[in-house]
Amino acid sequence: MAIASETHPEKDSAEVTATEKKRWNLNDFDIGKPLGRGKFGHVYLAREKRSNHIVALKVLFKSQLKQSQVEHQLRREVEIQSHLRNPNILRLYGYFYDQKRVYLILEYAAKGELYKELQRCKYFNEKRAATYVASLARALIYCHGKHVIHRDIKPENLLVGAQGELKIADFGWSVHTFNRRRTMCGTLDYLPPEMVESVEHDATVDIWSLGVLCYEFLYGVPPFEAKEHSDTYRRIMLVDLKFPSKPVVSSSGKDLISQMLVKDSSERLPLHKVLEHPWIVQNADPSGIYKL
Ligand code: AMP
């Protein structure tokens, strides 16, 4: 595995010469204020001493990872995220570990969680929602081009950078379809069409999630919300999609949501068509940044 921990935060691996390569340890960083707490540990603001580069250092306890049996998931997350380079995907510069902890060196998202911002505003206006949906569509097109399916796009997994740009942050549930294909069958060459198709079509789960997210941005609640899990399940299965009269959303916005939330995954609006949809074209800021 080409490990990103051998590279410097401020450089791409290609820029780092063999002699510069090193393994990280805690002494390489000045640790600053806590940024937040997650299920498995804490996140701190930190500065890499040599480059003065500001990062977020995520500290995970091995004991908790073991207990919850998520070591495998973390390994996959690190491997996938460290290879992605896109302005709307949080960089994972590298990792290191000691006896008790695993440390992830992450890009610092200065404006924090989108979830909190959505709670504060209750819902976003159409320009803001469209700007976010377009930047996520571009990031997902990039991921799918690398055979990576995110599978868990939701407000809790989105951070906001210093300029107001969205960053997909959590790749814990993502999969690399190419790997999966190889592990399934050893080689692609013997796969029948329906299996090739089903793997390719998996990427459409991210279109569905983007539709749910677009609805939540505009209405402040997810579309199939219900008191009981079983009712949410039923509403999803029926695609029981209803648009409240308030807040007011243009018919064009509702049209885009309806085209993403389609039960037959092959009928969902492809991501490049999402970018061409009139609601996106009219509302999204091409810079991908919604200025507050
Ligand atoms: P997590 O363990 O990923 O859920 O992170 C816990 C909390 O730390 C998040 O809810 C954020 O508030 C904060 N956080 C995590 N990663 C970053 C980051 N890269 N930049 C800024 N804040 C972060």
Side-chain angles (χ1 to χ4, degrees), residues 233-246:
Y233 181 82
R234 187 184 51 80
R235 292 195 62 199
I236 293 170
M237 293 307 286
L238 295 170
V239 196
D240 178 20
L241 182 61
K242 293 184 185 122
F243 297 107
S245 55
K246 288 253 170 65

Side-chain angles (χ1 to χ4, degrees), residues 35-43 56 58 60 90 106-110 112-113 116 156 159 169-170:
L35 293 172
R37 255 173 196 229
K39 202 171 161 203
F40 301 106
H42 301 204
V43 183
K58 194 183 224 181
L60 306 160
L90 195 81
L106 293 161
E107 178 182 359
Y108 171 50
E113 290 171 64
K116 284 198 183 137
E156 294 88 329
L159 293 173
D170 194 328

Side-chain angles (χ1 to χ4, degrees), residues 11 24-25 72 76 81 84 112 118 129 159 168 170 184-185 187 194 198 225 241:
K11 293 177 180 176
W24 297 106
N25 67 62
H72 181 73
R76 188 163 57 188
Q81 203 176 340
L84 300 175
L118 186 57
L159 293 173
I168 302 178
D170 194 328
M184 266 189 333
C185 302
T187 164
E194 68 275 15
S198 83
E225 198 178 54
L241 182 61

Side-chain angles (χ1 to χ4, degrees), residues 81 86-91 93 107-114 132 135-136 139 150 153-171 288:
Q81 203 176 340
N86 181 275
N88 297 110
I89 296 173
L90 195 81
R91 274 290 297 273
Y93 298 116
E107 178 182 359
Y108 171 50
K111 293 201 171 140
E113 290 171 64
L114 185 73
Y132 289 161
S135 53
L136 289 170
H150 189 281
I153 296 288
K154 56 185 181 188
E156 294 88 329
N157 290 342
L158 300 173
L159 293 173
V160 186
Q163 310 302 318
E165 73 282 21
L166 272 203
K167 305 270 181 191
I168 302 178
D170 194 328
F171 280 76

Side-chain angles (χ1 to χ4, degrees), residues 154-257:
K154 56 185 181 188
E156 294 88 329
N157 290 342
L158 300 173
L159 293 173
V160 186
Q163 310 302 318
E165 73 282 21
L166 272 203
K167 305 270 181 191
I168 302 178
D170 194 328
F171 280 76
W173 287 107
S174 60
V175 281
H176 197 269
T177 57
F178 191 66
N179 272 347
R180 209 158 58 124
R181 283 193 226 177
R182 279 202 299 212
T183 48
M184 266 189 333
C185 302
T187 164
L188 258 182
D189 301 300
Y190 301 89
L191 278 184
E194 68 275 15
M195 284 186 75
V196 175
E197 259 202 338
S198 83
V199 172
E200 289 302 332
H201 281 172
D202 274 358
T204 56
V205 301
D206 286 338
I207 306 176
W208 175 277
S209 309
L210 191 59
V212 172
L213 199 62
C214 184
Y215 185 106
E216 190 168 355
F217 285 164
L218 291 167
Y219 292 100
V221 286
F224 307 114
E225 198 178 54
K227 283 214 175 72
E228 301 292 332
H229 265 310
S230 55
D231 288 334
T232 305
Y233 181 82
R234 187 184 51 80
R235 292 195 62 199
I236 293 170
M237 293 307 286
L238 295 170
V239 196
D240 178 20
L241 182 61
K242 293 184 185 122
F243 297 107
S245 55
K246 288 253 170 65
V248 176
V249 170
S250 65
S251 52
S252 176
K254 290 185 240 183
D255 177 73
L256 176 60
I257 293 169

Side-chain angles (χ1 to χ4, degrees), residues 16-208:
V16 180
T17 65
T19 50
E20 275 183 291
K21 279 189 178 175
K22 71 187 281 284
R23 282 202 174 270
W24 297 106
N25 67 62
L26 203 50
N27 290 326
D28 293 318
F29 299 89
D30 289 321
I31 308 297
K33 67 169 183 180
L35 293 172
R37 255 173 196 229
K39 202 171 161 203
F40 301 106
H42 301 204
V43 183
Y44 298 92
L45 191 64
R47 180 172 42 217
E48 199 271 315
K49 288 177 186 168
R50 245 175 52 136
S51 64
N52 273 336
H53 197 90
I54 299 291
V55 296
L57 201 63
K58 194 183 224 181
V59 185
L60 306 160
F61 288 94
K62 283 182 179 173
S63 54
Q64 287 173 27
L65 296 169
K66 274 214 182 83
Q67 209 169 34
S68 308
Q69 298 182 310
V70 290
E71 304 122 291
H72 181 73
Q73 197 175 317
L74 178 69
R75 220 169 266 137
R76 188 163 57 188
E77 180 176 358
V78 168
E79 195 170 345
I80 288 177
Q81 203 176 340
S82 63
H83 286 97
L84 300 175
R85 302 277 186 282
N86 181 275
N88 297 110
I89 296 173
L90 195 81
R91 274 290 297 273
L92 174 67
Y93 298 116
Y95 73 91
F96 56 95
Y97 48 86
D98 56 27
Q99 264 198 321
K100 292 205 166 130
R101 291 164 281 248
V102 178
Y103 303 83
L104 302 185
I105 313 166
L106 293 161
E107 178 182 359
Y108 171 50
K111 293 201 171 140
E113 290 171 64
L114 185 73
Y115 182 68
K116 284 198 183 137
E117 193 50 23
L118 186 57
Q119 275 189 325
R120 193 182 67 79
C121 301
K122 293 209 166 57
Y123 54 88
F124 296 147
N125 65 42
E126 296 193 51
K127 290 214 171 332
R128 188 172 188 179
T131 302
Y132 289 161
V133 170
S135 53
L136 289 170
R138 282 192 292 268
L140 290 170
I141 289 169
Y142 168 83
C143 286
H144 294 172
K146 295 207 168 289
H147 306 281
V148 170
I149 304 170
H150 189 281
R151 304 198 300 181
D152 198 24
I153 296 288
K154 56 185 181 188
E156 294 88 329
N157 290 342
L158 300 173
L159 293 173
V160 186
Q163 310 302 318
E165 73 282 21
L166 272 203
K167 305 270 181 191
I168 302 178
D170 194 328
F171 280 76
W173 287 107
S174 60
V175 281
H176 197 269
T177 57
F178 191 66
N179 272 347
R180 209 158 58 124
R181 283 193 226 177
R182 279 202 299 212
T183 48
M184 266 189 333
C185 302
T187 164
L188 258 182
D189 301 300
Y190 301 89
L191 278 184
E194 68 275 15
M195 284 186 75
V196 175
E197 259 202 338
S198 83
V199 172
E200 289 302 332
H201 281 172
D202 274 358
T204 56
V205 301
D206 286 338
I207 306 176
W208 175 277

